[in-house]
Structure formats: structure tokens, C-alpha cells
């Protein structure tokens, strides 16, 4: 089967999560990805958990790629990369601004070898600006942009978000989108481009409702003040008697009325604009009187945007997600043992067949 990115060569100079997941997505759409790693391999190769003698996290993020070991500080090693640099369609790097320039592998250096290269740089705060050289990780980017402040949980018991929003939503996804745009632009103009992806930048996109609210009213919302971050009883997590949670998303009036009827909320409290806190408290008491299994069929029958929060183990066994083939692709270890491959946001139409088993790259020097 011919895939959309068949024939596209990607040189991957990235490590850890944002860049490797971006190039994995390109690989799953048919691109040839060559991962350039330091002598001994990237740090993630040693990380837990282990699978068939290797790091499962490294294997998951680098399925189907090739590996090339080079010491980028060694001029002789860098010289050997020139044939690939001349042939590549895409280069992705994740160093701090200026590092690739000092190595002689910056955009201008590579463009001299390859006038059509799509060169993507992923950093925390971008290639320029007062914070460009500042170290950070996901939690720093979502905190610096105000996103985390919209709902950090109680001040005495703050909650870490369950997803790496900046790494994936601010790094991986924008990188993939803009690399594809860069390839399209190159098709039209025949010219190279340098894509500057700052993980922090897209956190403002995630804070869209807070930004709109602040712009429209002149007052930016605080913790839990937005309808979707805790202010509304229609969009809440309610504990059940057995310690599970009901996720209520009954925003629209028809869903809200269906939810209220299902739980038997007193009519006066259905008008939640009158006293949202009182409505929320009443719902919490009602939900807490019964178990999750009591509520599950009732909410399913009402079709009112209320679900029982599933554990990750339950979710991967859900017949719906299984039927969609999300976990049908596989990673093969050295012995032939397999584990499910990561789901990636590539449509079934464009991804390779689910029977194709791929391995992560072993350490190689040529």
C-alpha cells in the first residue's frame, strides 16, 4: 500500500518525547526516519519499563525507525552526515537555540547543502525571545503560560495534569502539522524553510476560553472560575459511593435536563444559574448515595453526556476502541516478543496495515 509520506526522508536529531513522537507519526504515515543518536544511544534507551531486554518507552516512540550513531561534536562524524543532509526532505532537532548552529548543522548550514530542506526546531520557548535559553519541562511550560492556573486543584492539594500537554499538544502536534505545511509549501516554491516550534506558545491555544473571557471582559479568570474548569455543575466530576467518578459533561440544555431527570434532582436546583454551588452540592450528594455500576446503565439509557471514569486498563479493553484497531499495531522485540504500538493521530487510510510488525532501531554505527 502506498502511503502519503512514502519516499520522504526524515533526519531525526531529537530525544525523549516531543520530537520522537512527531517523527514516529511521520513514520507511521510512510516516511523513512533515520534517528541520529549520540555514542551509546540516547538516554531513553535505558529507561523503564523494560520489554524484551530494551526500554519499552524507547521502543514505543521509535518503532519502525532506523538508527545512526554519530558524535556531533566530532567534525569527522558530522562530515559523514552530508550525503544524508543533501538527500533529506525533513530535519527535526530539539536542542536549545544555537546548539545546531555551533555544530555546523543549523538551518543556514544545512540549506547550503540542501536548498529544499524543511527544517523543524522544537524548543520550550522558541528560537528567540527573553526566555529562549531557559530550561524547562512540560509542567514549566503550562505554568509559565497561565494554563495550569486555570485549574491546579485545591491550593493545599494541587493536582498534576494526567497528560503532557506541552510536550505533545505544544511540541509533537504543531511540529507534525507545520512539517506537512512546509512540505506543501516546498512543493509550490521549491524553497527551504525553518519551522520554529515553541512548546509554550501553543499553551495559549489550549487556554482559549480564558483568553477570550479576559479579552472580552477585561478580567482574566482565576482557578476554577471558567465553566469548563469547575464553575459549572454541568461539567464536573462527581464521586460515587464506591470511590469511582461520574464525569458529567451535560452542557447543552437537553443533556442537562436528561441528566437531572436521571438522578432525580429537585426542580428548583435544575435552574443551575440561580445558585451553582447549591446545585453542585446536591448532585454530589445524590451521586455519592449509589455505586458506579448503579449509575452506569441509567446514564447510558439517558444518553446525557455522563459517563463513569474508566481506568486505563478498562479503556484499552473497551470493545469500541478495540474495534477501531487502536491497539492492533505491534512492536517487535529482539526475541520476536511483541507489545502493542502507540496509537498515533494518523487515519487508518494513511497508516500501514495493522499486521505489519515493526521493531525499534538497534544501535548501529553506519
Amino acid at each position: 500500500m502506498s502511503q502519503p509520506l512514502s519516499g520522504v526522508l526524515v533526519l531525526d536529531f531529537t530525544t525523549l518525547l516531543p520530537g520522537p513522537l512527531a517523527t514516529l507519526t511521520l513514520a507511521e504515515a510512510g516516511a523513512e526516519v533515520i534517528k541520529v543518536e549520540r555514542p551509546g544511544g540516547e538516554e531513553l534507551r535505558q529507561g523503564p519499563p523494560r520489554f524484551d531486554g530494551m526500554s519499552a518507552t524507547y521502543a514505543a516512540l521509535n518503532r519502525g525507525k532506523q538508527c545512526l550513531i554519530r558524535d556531533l561534536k566530532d567534525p569527522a562524524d558530522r562530515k559523514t552526515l552530508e550525503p544524508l543532509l543533501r538527500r533529506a526532505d525533513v530535519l527535526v532537532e530539539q536542542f536549545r537555540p544555537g546548539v545546531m548552529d555551533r555544530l555546523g548543522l543549523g538551518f543556514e548550514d544545512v540549506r547550503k547543502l540542501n536548498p529544499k530542506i524543511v527544517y523543524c526546531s522544537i524548543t520550550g520557548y522558541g528560537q528567540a525571545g527573553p526566555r529562549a535559553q531557559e530550561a524547562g519541562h512540560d509542567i514549566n511550560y503550562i505554568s509559565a503560560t497561565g494554563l495550569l492556573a486555570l485549574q491546579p486543584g485545591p491550593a493545599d492539594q494541587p493536582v498534576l495534569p494526567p497528560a503532557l500537554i506541552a510536550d505533545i499538544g505544544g511540541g509533537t502536534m504543531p511540529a507534525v502539522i507545520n512539517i506537512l505545511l512546509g512540505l506543501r509549501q516546498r512543493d509550490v516554491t521549491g524553497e527551504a524553510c525553518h519551522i520554529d516550534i515553541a512548546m509554550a506558545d501553543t499553551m495559549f491555544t489550549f487556554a482559549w476560553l480564558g483568553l477570550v473571557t479576559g479579552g472580552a471582559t477585561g478580567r482574566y479568570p482565576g482557578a476554577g472560575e471558567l465553566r469548563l474548569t469547575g464553575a459549572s455543575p454541568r461539567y464536573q466530576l462527581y464521586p460515587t459511593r464506591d470511590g469511582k467518578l461520574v464525569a458529567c459533561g451535560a452542557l447543552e440544555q437537553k443533556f442537562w435536563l436528561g441528566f437531572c431527570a436521571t438522578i432525580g434532582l429537585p426542580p428548583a436546583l435544575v435552574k443551575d444559574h440561580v445558585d451553582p454551588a447549591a446545585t453542585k452540592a446536591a448532585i454530589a450528594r445524590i451521586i455519592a448515595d449509589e455505586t458506579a455500576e448503579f449509575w452506569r446503565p441509567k446514564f447510558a439509557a439517558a444518553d446525557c453526556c455522563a459517563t463513569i471514569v474508566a481506568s486505563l486498563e478498562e479503556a484499552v479493553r473497551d470493545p469500541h476502541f478495540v474495534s477501531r484497531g487502536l491497539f492492533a499495531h505491534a512492536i517487535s522485540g529482539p526475541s520476536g516478543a511483541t507489545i502493542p504500538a502507540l496509537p498515533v493521530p494518523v487515519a487508518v487510510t494513511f497508516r500501514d496495515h495493522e499486521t505489519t510488525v515493526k521493531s525499534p532501531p538497534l544501535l548501529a554505527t553506519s
Side-chain angles (χ1 to χ4, degrees):
M1 178 182 70
S2 179
Q3 295 179 266
L5 297 183
S6 294
V8 172
L9 174 60
V10 179
L11 294 185
D12 180 357
F13 289 83
T14 68
T15 61
L16 301 177
L17 176 60
L21 184 54
T23 58
L24 172 69
T25 304
L26 299 175
E28 293 292 302
E32 177 187 2
V33 177
I34 299 178
K35 186 174 173 64
V36 181
E37 298 185 40
R38 67 187 186 188
E42 77 151 286
E43 184 179 352
L44 197 63
R45 283 184 179 269
Q46 310 307 318
R50 307 300 290 177
F51 154 67
D52 205 16
M54 66 174 65
S55 165
T57 49
Y58 177 88
L61 291 169
N62 294 287
R63 173 184 186 261
K65 301 177 187 177
Q66 303 170 50
C67 173
L68 195 61
I69 300 298
R70 291 292 184 271
D71 182 354
L72 298 183
K73 296 180 181 180
D74 183 339
D77 263 14
R78 292 201 303 270
K79 188 71 174 177
T80 65
L81 292 174
E82 287 191 5
L84 284 174
L85 292 169
R86 293 180 190 278
R87 188 164 62 87
D89 298 285
V90 177
L91 185 153
V92 188
E93 62 95 4
Q94 199 176 296
F95 295 102
R96 288 203 205 190
V99 171
M100 289 290 271
D101 291 320
R102 291 194 293 273
L103 293 170
L105 294 169
F107 172 62
E108 294 299 337
D109 301 298
V110 175
R111 181 163 65 169
K112 291 175 184 176
L113 297 172
N114 185 343
K116 295 184 178 182
I117 191 72
V118 174
Y119 191 110
C120 179
S121 297
I122 303 173
T123 59
Y125 295 103
Q127 295 298 299
R131 305 186 85 147
Q133 293 295 333
E134 186 176 319
H137 281 298
D138 193 280
I139 194 170
N140 307 115
Y141 308 138
I142 63 174
S143 63
T145 54
L147 179 62
L148 184 56
L150 292 176
Q151 182 49 284
D156 59 337
Q157 291 182 312
V159 178
L160 286 172
L164 294 176
I165 306 171
D167 280 4
I168 298 175
T172 297
M173 300 305 179
V176 171
I177 292 168
N178 285 280
I179 286 168
L180 297 177
L181 292 174
L183 288 170
R184 173 58 180 152
Q185 178 177 277
R186 187 194 67 176
D187 290 344
V188 175
T189 67
E191 297 179 356
C193 64
H194 186 192
I195 300 166
D196 176 7
I197 300 296
M199 288 181 268
D201 287 0
T202 306
M203 297 306 92
F204 290 102
T205 308
F206 279 85
W208 69 275
L209 184 54
L211 289 176
V212 171
T213 301
T217 67
R219 180 184 176 277
Y220 288 88
E225 292 183 356
L226 284 171
R227 194 182 192 201
L228 302 181
T229 62
S232 173
R234 301 187 182 204
Y235 203 84
Q236 286 289 332
L237 295 172
Y238 294 106
T240 61
R241 191 176 73 196
D242 53 346
K244 295 191 177 182
L245 294 169
V246 170
C248 176
L251 289 171
E252 295 88 347
Q253 188 67 4
K254 66 176 182 178
F255 295 133
W256 174 242
L257 294 177
F259 175 79
C260 294
T262 299
I263 67 172
L265 187 68
L269 293 170
V270 173
K271 298 179 180 180
D272 58 314
H273 63 281
V274 176
D275 189 344
T279 296
K280 189 190 308 181
I283 295 171
R285 287 192 297 270
I286 294 170
I287 297 295
D289 279 343
E290 302 292 349
T291 66
E293 291 311 309
F294 172 86
W295 291 117
R296 189 188 304 275
K298 293 183 178 297
F299 290 138
D303 191 27
C304 59
C305 299
T307 54
I308 306 301
V309 174
S311 69
L312 185 57
E313 183 176 4
E314 291 169 336
V316 298
R317 295 175 179 172
D318 187 309
H320 172 78
F321 301 119
V322 172
S323 72
R324 291 186 58 78
L326 292 182
F327 311 105
H329 297 260
I331 303 166
S332 175
S335 74
T338 63
I339 56 173
L342 284 179
V344 293
V346 175
V348 174
T349 306
F350 300 136
R351 201 173 181 184
D352 61 357
H353 195 274
E354 63 186 37
T355 59
T356 303
V357 178
K358 295 180 180 178
S359 303
L362 299 176
L363 285 172
T365 57
S366 60

